Amino acid sequence: TLIENRIIPCTASDATIDLAQRVLAARCVGLANTADRDRLRAQADATGTWAAEGWFCYGRSRRWFGSRALSTAFALAAMAVP
């Protein structure tokens, strides 16, 4: 059917920022995404921060931008979700 032709397969990423954004997006629509929040919590290191990961890529250069502080900010925002 037409709808089936428009479905795009999605592979969920375990990247810190991806997990955090999924938790935050679920909250925006009134859902609790405890599975991703638990996986996110498990990724924190002993200092309570998360590893630096790429947040966005600059054009065609394939240069990724991100930092430990940015990953941690997203993770902490997601952890604050009830």
Side-chain angles (χ1 to χ4, degrees), residues 20-82:
Q21 287 184 21
R22 287 198 303 268
V23 170
L24 293 167
R27 179 182 66 178
C28 285
V29 295
L31 300 173
N33 186 346
T34 55
D36 280 342
R37 192 169 66 180
D38 291 344
R39 288 191 353 235
L40 182 61
R41 182 178 289 119
Q43 290 182 354
D45 65 20
T47 66
T49 60
W50 283 259
E53 291 182 356
W55 185 43
F56 69 93
C57 180
Y58 180 72
R60 295 180 193 164
S61 71
R62 303 303 300 160
R63 261 193 127 140
W64 286 91
F65 295 86
S67 67
R68 176 177 289 277
L70 185 64
S71 296
T72 299
F74 270 98
L76 290 175
M79 292 291 107
V81 173

Side-chain angles (χ1 to χ4, degrees), residues 11-19 22 36 39-40 43 53:
T11 302
S13 164
D14 280 340
T16 297
I17 293 175
D18 292 344
L19 288 169
R22 287 198 303 268
D36 280 342
R39 288 191 353 235
L40 182 61
Q43 290 182 354
E53 291 182 356

